[in-house]
Amino acid sequence: MPPSGTRFTTLVDKLKLRGYRITPQRAAILKIFTESQDHPSVDQVYAAVKVDFPMTSLATVYKTVALLKEEGEILELGFANQSSRYDGNKPYPHPHLICVRCQRIIDPELNRLDGLSRELALKYGYQILNQRVDFFGVCPECLARQVSEAVSAG
Ligand SMILES: [Zn+2]
Ligand SMILES: [Zn+2]
């Protein structure tokens, strides 16, 4: 695995090569998407970028997401009951572990999915193009909070 931090610089270089103009605002947005470990939503990225660039518009964040999607450089996780979340580190399909309480999303280490795709392709004759594997649960922090709340209530 390449050391963290290089994803941002390689992405910027790649986009520049493809003819995109990388303004300081856009660079800041790319940095947040590539360095965040928590699969931020557009609103979260917008709030974060405004700390350094108060003039940034929400539209600029949306446009950057659209560009990254077009270039296949970001993974969008859409949900029925909450806004989409994004992985700018790993733009390829990978499993996610999602806390239904605090909405935290992490990337669990699971290496068996490639095998599963092959198995499905063989068994059902499909050419597998994409995959989406989400595990929903309650994270350790939320579980701990639940226990301490129960103790203080009882
Ligand atoms: Zn949680
Ligand atoms: Zn992810």
Side-chain angles (χ1 to χ4, degrees):
M1 283 242 292
S4 64
T6 60
R7 163 80 183 143
F8 170 69
T9 45
T10 51
L11 179 61
V12 167
D13 289 347
K14 219 189 256 183
L15 293 175
K16 278 184 182 163
L17 271 176
R18 292 176 197 169
Y20 292 101
R21 209 162 58 88
I22 308 297
T23 61
Q25 275 182 13
R26 185 167 270 174
I29 294 168
L30 294 175
K31 205 170 176 91
I32 294 163
F33 273 123
T34 54
E35 292 183 356
S36 172
Q37 298 300 312
D38 190 39
H39 304 80
S41 66
V42 164
D43 286 337
Q44 285 167 335
V45 172
Y46 177 54
V49 77
K50 278 184 76 117
V51 174
D52 288 325
F53 296 91
M55 302 300 280
T56 310
S57 70
L58 188 56
T60 305
V61 183
Y62 273 110
K63 271 185 224 156
T64 307
V65 168
L67 173 167
L68 289 171
K69 273 164 74 175
E70 203 174 295
E71 296 296 328
E73 295 293 347
I74 200 164
L75 183 73
E76 181 175 30
L77 295 169
F79 297 98
N81 56 351
Q82 65 167 98
S83 44
S84 291
R85 304 277 291 269
Y86 297 90
D87 192 326
N89 289 303
K90 300 181 185 173
Y92 46 85
H94 59 275
H96 286 102
L97 200 46
I98 301 165
C99 178
V100 298
R101 295 271 164 78
C102 66
Q103 328 297 342
R104 181 224 303 248
I105 301 179
I106 66 167
D107 292 338
E109 296 268 346
L110 266 183
N111 302 316
R112 293 190 208 120
L113 283 178
D114 290 344
L116 270 181
S117 288
R118 268 195 298 276
E119 192 180 323
L120 288 170
L122 271 173
K123 215 165 173 175
Y124 297 96
Y126 273 55
Q127 181 192 9
I128 305 298
L129 301 174
N130 204 343
Q131 70 201 15
R132 169 121 187 227
V133 182
D134 292 339
F135 296 89
F136 293 91
V138 181
C139 74
E141 282 78 5
C142 287
L143 278 176
R145 208 170 303 137
Q146 188 176 317
V147 169
S148 65
E149 272 163 19
V151 168
S152 61

